[in-house]
Amino acid sequence: MTRRPRRNHSAAFKAKVALAAVKGEKTLTELAEQFDVHPNQITQWKMQLLEGASGVFGEAKAEPAAAAVDLKALHAKIGELTLENDFLESALTKAGLLSAKR
């Protein structure tokens, strides 16, 4: 018996199979034959769907707020870099390495 090469299934396909398993209209064996997937894989996808379903209605919306950028820290860094650039520009101008015309 030869081994089948590893397949990567799309998220839409996984959701379709998992929803079919949750409906319970067919047995796992029937679903496995229909979708050409091992029954254990269907069980895993079903569990993932059931565990992640609560995120649709609740806490999952808190993630975008965590990605907010701290503007005060960025403005402070811009000010710091501006001061460094001004200092280096004046030092290079005094040393004659940077032309005064800019």
Side-chain angles (χ1 to χ4, degrees):
M1 183 173 180
T2 61
R3 293 186 67 193
R4 173 185 287 177
R6 176 166 272 200
R7 297 179 292 172
N8 294 325
H9 299 288
S10 67
F13 177 77
K14 292 176 184 180
K16 180 180 172 183
V17 174
L19 282 174
V22 169
K23 286 180 185 176
E25 295 174 355
K26 295 184 178 182
T27 65
L28 280 177
T29 307
E30 293 172 339
L31 290 173
E33 288 177 10
Q34 178 184 350
F35 294 108
D36 193 29
V37 178
H38 196 277
N40 290 344
Q41 187 67 63
I42 295 174
T43 304
Q44 285 180 346
W45 291 342
K46 179 181 173 184
M47 294 298 291
Q48 288 176 355
L49 176 68
L50 294 175
E51 289 173 1
S54 63
V56 172
F57 300 107
E59 301 171 13
K61 296 185 184 203
E63 288 182 27
V69 178
D70 185 16
L71 288 179
K72 284 187 177 186
L74 290 176
H75 286 297
K77 187 66 175 178
I78 290 170
E80 182 182 323
L81 293 173
T82 303
L83 282 173
E84 287 179 13
N85 284 341
D86 291 343
F87 172 77
L88 290 173
E89 182 180 9
S90 65
L92 289 173
T93 303
K94 288 179 185 175
L97 299 173
L98 185 67
S99 67
K101 297 180 182 178
R102 257 192 153 209

